[in-house]
Amino acid sequence: MPDHKLPELEGRTPLEVADTPNLDAIAKRAEIFGIAKTIPDPLPPGSDVGNLAVLGYDPTKYYTGRSPLEAASIGISLGETDVTVRCNLVTLAERNGRTVMEDYSAGHITDDDAAGIIEDLKKEFDGEEFSLSQGVSYRHLLLWRGGNSGIQTTPPHDISGKEIAPWLPSGDGAEKLLNLMERSRRILKDHPVNAKRRAEGKNTADSIWLWGEGTKPDMPSLQELYGITGSVVSAVDLVKGIGIFAAMEVIEVPGATGYLDTNYAGKVSGAIESLQRVDLAMIHIEATDETGHVGDASLKIQAIEDFDQKVVGPALAGMEQFGEYRVLVLSDHPTPIDLRTHSNEPVPFAILDSANRSVKHDSLVYTEDCAAASGVYVKEGWKLLGTLVARQE
């Protein structure tokens, strides 16, 4: 959700422009309002690192790569020598003799279209060394038995509109991943699913893009770290996987897409209902990140307003049934419109305690500048979860 000030918004951020009465009400009543660094140096500013921090895990201690977390969500058990690799379905384009990353999500391809493509790729790729598994939309997973986790790869959303050649996998063993990527282009060139998508005027899945390699993490449960139980609601396998390693209940919500058309109401009701059984519920919303990658300020403003009106407001109303509660609003990282990828700047956060019904800061609104001006800076953002769940004597 956090962003940079944009000329097309008259020097404001999407969060400053968006109508967010519920977030602003939290800022006014917050016990703690400020900024937090969720991406420790020198780790990459990814959703994997950021969401580990959101759930109270020190990324410098527990981060082993993105794809192993997604593997847990898909139900893949990893051996000690297994390496997992994130497999995006992407759209490539030829411009002036160069191959560029046209669309890191193949037009936010549907699960049904992706299934037909992954099924045929599996016939070509699966064997003793590699195994391909379907995830959600454009996000899939490659298991590499006895693979090399030291290969250098690049997220495709980092190179939108750029030539792919400088960003292809490199290092010892990279030739095997490059071979799979090149083979996928030949297989998908005339694939029936792509023929259908062309006829519909949609971006096609021209290739796979392999990145986010890693090995199985060794993480304690949320109960072991903080003495609490938890649940997680998300459309994204990465976040579900973190929840599984944290021994949290993963709430499946029909119609959860990870984009603007997601089932917001289902996510909120699933989280609130789970609090009958657990201490902590995490609602993860992806649309603000996706619209940042698209680079469309108006879409990001819509995503922020949807979050405020369809998630924050209903969630606060739903929490009232419990009498006493606390809420933390926190982003895993910024995805600025002008960059179209993640950055590692500190993010705004607010902690609300239901015991405090009075307005503490009438002039505050939930924006990047207001949060920074508070003077509260949490350098180790992963510690915020501990602050949230701390019991008052």
Side-chain angles (χ1 to χ4, degrees), residues 9-67:
L9 299 180
E10 300 179 343
R12 295 176 294 171
T13 70
L15 185 54
E16 289 173 329
V17 172
D19 181 25
T20 56
N22 296 296
L23 287 171
D24 294 344
I26 288 176
K28 290 174 176 19
R29 288 176 49 199
E31 290 296 306
I32 311 174
F33 181 47
I35 57 174
K37 187 170 177 60
T38 53
I39 309 294
D41 297 328
L43 293 179
S47 300
D48 40 18
V49 174
N51 278 291
L52 281 171
V54 168
L55 275 173
Y57 290 85
D58 180 354
T60 64
K61 187 174 182 180
Y62 297 111
Y63 176 67
T64 63
R66 178 183 184 118
S67 56

Side-chain angles (χ1 to χ4, degrees), residues 59 88 96 147 214 237 242 252 264 268 283 288 292 316 320 369 379:
N88 270 46
N96 301 319
D237 283 327
I242 295 175
E252 297 293 346
Y264 290 108
V268 174
I283 304 175
T288 46
L316 290 175
E320 289 296 327
D369 279 356
K379 185 176 181 180

Side-chain angles (χ1 to χ4, degrees), residues 183-217:
R183 287 168 60 191
S184 77
R185 295 184 69 179
R186 295 197 296 268
I187 296 167
L188 298 179
K189 181 179 180 181
D190 298 312
H191 196 279
V193 169
N194 282 330
K196 176 181 76 73
R197 291 182 67 81
R198 288 189 193 98
E200 296 170 344
K202 298 176 181 177
N203 282 348
T204 56
D206 300 321
S207 176
I208 61 170
W209 186 270
L210 300 174
W211 65 286
E213 68 288 344
T215 56
K216 182 179 180 180

Side-chain angles (χ1 to χ4, degrees), residues 100-111:
V100 302
M101 182 63 64
E102 180 75 8
D103 186 343
Y104 68 91
S105 70
H108 282 91
I109 190 169
T110 64
D111 290 353

Side-chain angles (χ1 to χ4, degrees), residues 297-310:
S298 62
L299 287 180
K300 186 162 186 180
I301 292 168
Q302 178 188 336
I304 294 170
E305 292 183 344
D306 284 348
F307 171 60
D308 183 82
Q309 296 159 26
K310 299 179 181 181

Side-chain angles (χ1 to χ4, degrees), residues 87-88 123 157 164 214 270 288 356 387:
C87 176
N88 270 46
K123 294 174 184 176
H157 49 256
I164 66 171
T288 46
N356 174 36
T387 301

Side-chain angles (χ1 to χ4, degrees), residues 123-289:
K123 294 174 184 176
E124 296 288 331
F125 294 169
D126 283 12
E128 292 185 3
E129 188 172 13
F130 294 107
S131 179
L132 191 60
S133 296
Q134 184 179 355
V136 176
S137 182
Y138 61 88
R139 313 172 185 97
H140 309 282
L141 196 78
L142 181 73
L143 176 62
W144 185 7
R145 299 177 185 88
N148 182 3
S149 62
I151 290 176
Q152 289 77 52
T153 63
T154 300
H157 49 256
D158 281 4
I159 56 171
S160 293
K162 297 181 181 179
E163 182 179 7
I164 66 171
W167 309 103
L168 292 167
S170 62
D172 186 25
E175 68 279 356
K176 294 188 175 183
L177 300 187
L178 291 168
N179 176 264
L180 294 179
M181 292 167 68
E182 183 58 36
R183 287 168 60 191
S184 77
R185 295 184 69 179
R186 295 197 296 268
I187 296 167
L188 298 179
K189 181 179 180 181
D190 298 312
H191 196 279
V193 169
N194 282 330
K196 176 181 76 73
R197 291 182 67 81
R198 288 189 193 98
E200 296 170 344
K202 298 176 181 177
N203 282 348
T204 56
D206 300 321
S207 176
I208 61 170
W209 186 270
L210 300 174
W211 65 286
E213 68 288 344
T215 56
K216 182 179 180 180
D218 181 17
M219 288 172 50
S221 69
L222 208 62
Q223 180 77 57
E224 291 170 319
L225 273 184
Y226 296 103
I228 60 171
T229 57
S231 66
V232 60
V233 180
S234 177
V236 179
D237 283 327
L238 164 67
V239 179
K240 294 179 183 178
I242 295 175
I244 289 171
F245 278 114
M248 301 172 74
E249 179 183 347
V250 176
I251 310 296
E252 297 293 346
V253 176
T257 65
Y259 198 52
L260 292 165
D261 59 350
T262 199
N263 182 0
Y264 290 108
K267 286 187 170 185
V268 174
S269 62
I272 297 299
E273 190 274 334
S274 74
L275 287 170
Q276 303 288 349
R277 303 181 298 276
V278 300
D279 303 308
L280 172 81
M282 173 189 180
I283 304 175
H284 173 255
I285 299 298
E286 182 75 354
T288 46
D289 178 64

